[in-house]
Amino acid sequence: QVQLVESGGGSVQAGGSLRLSCVASGYTYRSNCMGWFRQAPGKEREGVAAIYTGGGSTYYADSVKGRFTISQDNAKNTVYLQMNSLKPEDTAMYYCAAGILPHGGPWWGVYEYRYWGQGTQVTVSS
């Protein structure tokens, strides 16, 4: 099993920043890709960003490119999502996920990930 715990969510005004953290524990070798997803009320869960933990390759949804950065600290088994220039449409519950994926994708696929955290709420006001 792999356990994932997210933190760092909160309420900010548009244009602000937040950094989300996801700490992984357990059999972390059972995953090679860590992703961040988000789900707004009434909407489907969507992929935001992903990082392949071996080589460090990163991928982003078009909606967050240039604003969000995913990174990792292997020594701490932690993945981060730095979110800058936040917009009201970024408001959602953000989830961390882990899985074994082929390189190049489909990193955005919800069903590609076996392990999920409980989520952390991000609210951006205008």
Side-chain angles (χ1 to χ4, degrees):
Q1 289 291 338
V2 175
Q3 292 80 42
L4 304 172
V5 179
E6 305 98 332
S7 62
S11 296
V12 296
Q13 290 190 330
S17 299
L18 285 173
R19 188 177 80 157
L20 306 183
S21 299
C22 173
V23 179
S25 61
Y27 296 108
T28 56
Y29 65 87
R30 291 183 176 178
S31 64
N32 71 337
C33 184
M34 300 288 291
W36 282 99
F37 288 75
R38 66 186 181 187
Q39 187 167 20
K43 294 188 177 181
E44 293 185 353
R45 193 168 296 190
E46 63 174 354
V48 175
I51 185 167
Y52 284 82
T53 55
S57 298
T58 58
Y59 298 86
Y60 297 92
D62 288 343
S63 58
V64 305
K65 279 181 182 177
R67 299 189 299 123
F68 290 11
T69 303
I70 188 170
S71 62
Q72 62 181 348
D73 184 333
N74 289 336
K76 296 181 178 180
N77 281 340
T78 301
V79 173
Y80 303 97
L81 186 68
Q82 178 66 44
M83 305 186 296
N84 299 328
S85 302
L86 282 162
K87 305 175 181 180
E89 50 264 43
D90 294 319
T91 295
M93 184 71 79
Y94 282 71
Y95 298 91
C96 177
I100 298 178
L101 280 74
H103 279 259
W107 65 267
W108 59 89
V110 172
Y111 297 105
E112 300 294 325
Y113 295 82
R114 181 174 182 179
Y115 305 103
W116 291 83
Q118 294 300 306
T120 185
Q121 178 68 38
V122 171
T123 303
V124 185
S125 58
S126 58

